[in-house]
Each structure stands twice: as C-alpha cells, then as structure tokens.
Amino acid sequence: MNNMQVVLIFTLSLFSLTHSLTPSFKVETPVGYSALRKCNESTLYLVQTKSYADWPIYLVDLHGSSSYDVGYCYGYLLANETLQNYNALLSFIFNAGLERSAFELFLDWQWNDYLSLMVPQVFFDEISGIEAGAYDAGFGTGLGLIIQRLIVISNFAGDFVDDIKYLLWGEFNDKGKEIFESLFQQTPKESDSQTTATHRSFGTCSHFAVWGSRTVNASLFAGRNLDWTPQTGISRHKVIAFWHVPGKISHVTFGFAGMIGALTGINSQGVVVGESGNDVKLETFNGFPWTLRLRYIMENSNGLQDAYNIMKTTNNTLGMNHIIASGKNQTDLDGKHPALEIETMRDYTAYYFDNDTRESDYIYVNQTTGQKYEMGWPMPEAVFRTNHAYDPKIRAVQVFPVTPTSDTIIRQKLFSTVFQWYESAQIEIGTLEAINVTSILGKKGTEDYFDCSKIQNAANVMSVTYAPLSNVAYVAYEDGLGSARVPACCSTYIEIDLANFF
C-alpha cells in the first residue's frame, strides 16, 4: 500500500468517527451591536459577543453619496485601528529602520508604477476620502499612503519571497533572471520536499461552494479560509465592513482594519467571492489588484453572469484560485451553474464549473516507479480549491512541485471526502454542516485536520461561511497571542445577520 493510500484511508476513518463537529469550534449569535463612533450617516459598532472579549470584532456600516464620502467615514472612524494594524504588520516583518524604509519604498514603487494603473477611479476617490477623514479625525496626513501600501501587501497571496522574485522578472520582461536568482533562493526541485513544505506553511487558503441535491432546500452554501502568517498583530482590529454607495450594489467584506479590499465577502444579491493563492512564475502587477477586483465584482454583480463578464474584461496579477458563487440568482450564467472556480496567472485564466473532467484527468506519474496517482476529485453540485491548479498551462509554471503527498492535494482530497461522507450518510448540508466543512479545512498546525489541540502556530487567521439565501454569514478570527492564541477554525463563528445592514 502506498503512502497516499494510507493518508486517504486514515482521513476517511477519522472523518467517520468525528464528522459531527471539528473539535472546539463554536457558533455564537451576538447580543447586539454597540455604537462606538459616528461619521455622518456611517457608524462604527462593537460586535457584542462572549467570545473575542480581549480582541473584539468591529463592524463599520458605511454610507455616503459617493465613494469619496464612504472613504471619508472609513478614515474618520478607523484611522487609529488602521495605523495600529499597519505598524504591527511591518514590525512583524521587519525591525524598525533601514529594512522597513526600503520595503516601504518598494511598496510605493509597485503601487505608483504598476498596481495602480488599472484601478478604477472609484477606489482612488475612496482612498482620497480616507486621507481626508483621518486628517479631520486628528491623525494628520499619510493614511491614504498606508492604505495603498496595504493593498500592495495584501496582493501577495502566497509565498512572499518567490512572489516578489517572479514579479520582478515579469516587470523586467523576463530579463536579468540570473541577477534575480543570485538574490533569491533557487526554485525547489521535486526532491526538495522539506524546502517545499517550509515554503507552503503559510498562504495555504481554501474555499468551496455546495448546492442542489447536496444541501437543505437546494440552497447554496460557501466557505473561505484565510490561512496566512499567524500572530502578526492585525487581528487586534478585526473589521467587518458594509459598503453602501449610490448606484452600486451594497456588499460586505470580512477582514482587518486598513485592508479595504475583499479578502472575502458577499453582496446584497447573494454573490460570494473568495480566493486561495497558487504561486506561479508568470506574475505581474500590471493588472487589477485582486482584493479590489473582488470588491468591484461585488459592487457591480447581480449574479454570476455579471461577475464572469468583469473577470473576462479585467487583467490578472499573480497566481490565484478564485471562487465566485451566486446564492440567490443561481441560474443566470448558463441556466444551471451557480458557482465558478477560476484559476489565474499573468495573461491567462481558466474557468471551471462543478464536475469538470480536467480535474479528474490530472494524473501524477512517479518518474522513478512509473506509478500513477489521481490528483483531482470533481463532483456534481460542488466546487472547491486549495493551492494548486488543474489547468495544464498553469501547472507547468507553478513554483512549488505538487505531488500526491503535498498538503494542497491532501486538503483537496479532504474536501471530496467530506462531501462524499455527507452524501453517503444521506445528510443534507445545512448551515452547521457548511460551517463544519469550513472549519475542517482550516490549517490547525498539524496534519490532522480534526485536531484542535496543537494550535499555537496554526495558520488559520480567518474563517467565513456564507448562507446567502438566509442572508447570514458566520465569521471566526484567530484570537489572542502566544500560548493563548486560538486559530479561527478552532474558535467561535459569530453569526452576522446581513439583513440588518443590507
């Protein structure tokens, strides 16, 4: 029996014993929302929960007559939290001094010369408003610049060092590779399993959508895990932001103060967006920053057709796996598919519906033994992705070798295993089951995805489940620092009644 078979049999056995709940996660309904500050028609609230008492969740309900007005109130209400998050993040990455200053110059260069070029004017207006609002709140000048830098940082979704290396290669038209190789580590070979595992320890996100005969009342459910660097300090200021601009579709983003793009979110029409990184060698910042791109999709999409059109007519940046799902208008794209899986890299995009044979056609061949392994497990009425591609063109330029025992493949198979278990047990997936799927796939600091006992350095910093037809989302964040720190997927999912704000 090969190693992969052992892993999968263990996964199936463990799931059959512990399917009801991932150990330790809980669900809580807020007692209420306590108003902290107001700005015109916008309000910053504290989400009143028993959980997250030390590091609470903020909810900002933003209203205005323009993108500038909405940005103004974001800056006015959240300047302090944004500054603290920015300083915490950069202090985590660098010591204060020359390294940090050089990094900030790099971020400004990338924004000014590349990443800002395809950003719609509405976001420039918003950033200008943030700058003005922060100034009027007594925080001086410069918050708009910090927002721009945070957009650049958040656009690096995978391995930071390799993202920068291949990004610079692309910006220099693939010239001077020998120079850049001397500045960075060599790309790992297939045999460098330890190097690969180390690089993939962070930035290992996941997402899914499930619907139809698999779910209660054929409702669509979706989930998104943000597996990133833990304990950076940005979770001190968790922010749920509702954006209301005349002429645009209201939407909500789940994230952290200062990150105005969408790490994940849902709009009032039930369109859900999410992302998981996939490090590739063909990258560029001559494109639409992905966090702003996902917000733009939510602002302008009544269903999957609108979202698909935006993806088709805007440019990619780095290697990404995106999900877009339409929970209310499930048939507007082609009459039968409510969710799209999207693989991207520079100048190339691959689109997938459920049960796509390109996934099952992906066969890995061990070059030493000739043994073949399945690498994809598509199924009807569900899409899901971790951190690798199925499109052959994208697979050919992935930075990290993917083998049958790679973590991204194990988690992809785990999605399939979980959905197959519910199907064989004749259990329709409802709200709790969807949260369970989301929680299981979150990184827990161990190869056992059902174990929340070894969690101090677990990478899961935010975990969100959506029930669009019910107008409800459930969000969990990492909480605490050091030995007291709990990753999001092992923490408490807070129920957010979207109807209160849409």
Side-chain angles (χ1 to χ4, degrees):
M1 184 178 296
N2 61 64
N3 290 337
M4 188 57 177
Q5 289 173 323
V6 172
V7 170
L8 296 183
I9 290 173
F10 173 74
T11 299
L12 282 164
S13 301
L14 189 60
F15 185 72
S16 68
L17 293 172
T18 60
H19 68 272
S20 58
L21 287 177
T22 296
S24 299
F25 94 74
K26 300 174 286 293
V27 179
E28 181 181 347
T29 301
V31 176
Y33 302 90
S34 175
L36 299 177
R37 297 189 285 274
K38 287 191 66 70
C39 169
N40 300 327
E41 298 302 314
S42 300
T43 307
L44 177 66
Y45 296 96
L46 180 70
V47 182
Q48 296 177 313
T49 65
K50 295 179 182 179
S51 309
Y52 307 104
D54 294 330
W55 291 9
I57 300 174
Y58 298 98
L59 186 150
V60 61
D61 190 26
L62 297 163
H63 295 261
S65 59
S66 66
S67 295
Y68 178 92
D69 292 341
V70 168
Y72 178 91
C73 284
Y74 189 100
Y76 189 90
L77 295 170
L78 287 167
N80 180 57
E81 290 77 9
T82 296
L83 286 167
Q84 289 190 24
N85 267 4
Y86 176 74
N87 287 324
L89 184 57
L90 263 67
S91 295
F92 180 87
I93 299 172
F94 300 109
N95 293 322
L98 183 61
E99 282 185 336
R100 171 169 171 163
S101 297
F103 182 63
E104 289 176 322
L105 287 174
F106 170 79
L107 296 175
D108 295 343
W109 167 42
Q110 291 299 306
W111 174 261
N112 292 329
D113 287 8
Y114 298 101
L115 200 55
S116 66
L117 301 184
M118 296 187 184
V119 172
Q121 184 60 43
V122 290
F123 292 115
F124 287 107
D125 294 343
E126 198 172 279
I127 294 170
S128 296
I130 290 172
E131 172 78 11
Y135 182 84
D136 287 350
F139 288 89
T141 60
L143 196 68
L145 181 62
I146 286 174
I147 292 292
Q148 292 171 182
R149 290 171 178 169
L150 286 170
I151 292 171
V152 179
I153 291 173
S154 64
N155 208 65
F156 290 109
D159 183 87
F160 200 76
V161 172
D162 278 289
D163 274 343
I164 291 177
K165 176 174 71 175
Y166 292 111
L167 174 68
L168 294 176
W169 283 6
E171 290 175 356
F172 284 87
N173 297 315
D174 297 320
K175 297 178 181 178
K177 291 186 177 182
E178 295 81 4
I179 297 175
F180 290 117
E181 280 286 15
S182 69
L183 299 175
F184 298 92
Q185 292 181 349
Q186 295 291 320
T187 301
K189 299 178 182 178
E190 185 171 319
S191 59
D192 299 333
S193 58
Q194 184 60 47
T195 301
T196 302
T198 300
H199 276 269
R200 294 307 301 165
S201 60
F202 303 130
T204 52
C205 305
S206 59
H207 58 247
F208 74 91
V210 62
W211 64 91
S213 64
R214 297 184 182 277
T215 63
V216 174
N217 296 325
S219 298
L220 181 141
F221 296 91
R224 194 297 204 212
N225 280 301
L226 176 63
D227 298 323
W228 201 54
T229 306
Q231 306 197 62
T232 62
I234 63 172
S235 289
R236 288 184 182 272
H237 302 297
K238 315 166 183 70
V239 171
I240 302 167
F242 284 83
W243 308 80
H244 307 275
V245 180
K248 300 294 183 180
I249 297 171
S250 296
H251 56 284
V252 58
T253 57
F254 295 88
F256 309 90
M259 296 185 178
I260 65 169
L263 300 169
T264 185
I266 184 173
N267 72 11
S268 60
Q269 301 304 304
V271 175
V272 176
V273 296
E275 173 274 345
S276 300
N278 177 32
D279 294 312
V280 299
K281 299 176 184 178
L282 295 182
E283 300 187 330
T284 181
F285 268 0
N286 279 317
F288 203 154
W290 71 266
T291 57
L292 297 184
R293 193 185 198 184
L294 294 186
R295 260 199 68 196
Y296 190 78
I297 285 172
M298 289 192 291
E299 280 190 344
N300 296 281
S301 298
N302 285 296
L304 203 55
Q305 182 68 63
D306 292 333
Y308 174 75
N309 291 342
I310 293 171
M311 286 296 300
K312 292 280 287 186
T313 56
T314 54
N315 286 5
N316 304 328
T317 52
L318 308 186
M320 303 280 174
N321 294 331
H322 289 301
I323 189 169
I324 304 175
S326 183
K328 295 182 180 179
N329 189 359
Q330 293 193 14
T331 60
D332 75 316
L333 180 59
D334 65 349
K336 55 183 178 179
H337 292 105
L340 264 179
E341 186 62 50
I342 306 167
E343 299 175 351
T344 73
M345 66 179 181
R346 185 180 78 195
D347 300 327
Y348 185 78
T349 307
Y351 298 90
Y352 293 76
F353 292 124
D354 57 303
N355 210 28
D356 195 304
T357 57
R358 284 174 293 177
E359 296 179 28
S360 55
D361 288 343
Y362 182 12
I363 303 296
Y364 176 89
V365 180
N366 185 300
Q367 296 302 310
T368 302
T369 66
Q371 189 166 357
K372 296 181 180 180
Y373 302 84
E374 291 182 341
M375 299 285 274
W377 303 269
M379 57 181 57
E381 300 175 321
V383 294
F384 42 92
R385 208 54 113 242
T386 51
N387 305 107
H388 62 279
Y390 283 96
D391 182 87
K393 290 184 179 180
I394 300 178
R395 286 186 357 229
V397 293
Q398 288 178 150
V399 173
F400 300 103
V402 177
T403 72
T405 56
S406 295
D407 179 68
T408 181
I409 294 295
I410 290 173
R411 287 181 292 121
Q412 185 78 6
K413 177 59 179 176
L414 183 56
F415 265 129
S416 172
T417 299
V418 172
F419 289 134
Q420 286 176 348
W421 188 92
Y422 280 123
E423 180 180 357
S424 63
Q426 297 183 329
I427 296 174
E428 293 181 338
I429 294 172
T431 298
L432 184 59
E433 290 80 10
I435 298 172
N436 189 41
V437 174
T438 312
S439 175
I440 288 171
L441 268 292
K443 295 284 283 184
K444 300 177 181 67
T446 172
E447 293 180 357
D448 182 355
Y449 284 88
F450 300 88
D451 183 7
C452 281
S453 66
K454 303 172 183 178
I455 55 177
Q456 183 173 337
N457 292 314
N460 192 247
V461 299
M462 184 175 70
S463 187
V464 188
T465 302
Y466 300 96
L469 280 180
S470 301
N471 274 326
V472 178
Y474 299 83
V475 59
Y477 287 94
E478 69 168 348
D479 197 35
L481 285 175
S483 60
R485 186 254 183 188
V486 178
C489 57
C490 296
S491 186
T492 302
Y493 286 80
I494 303 301
E495 179 181 336
I496 304 298
D497 188 344
L498 306 175
N500 287 337
F501 302 96
F502 280 154

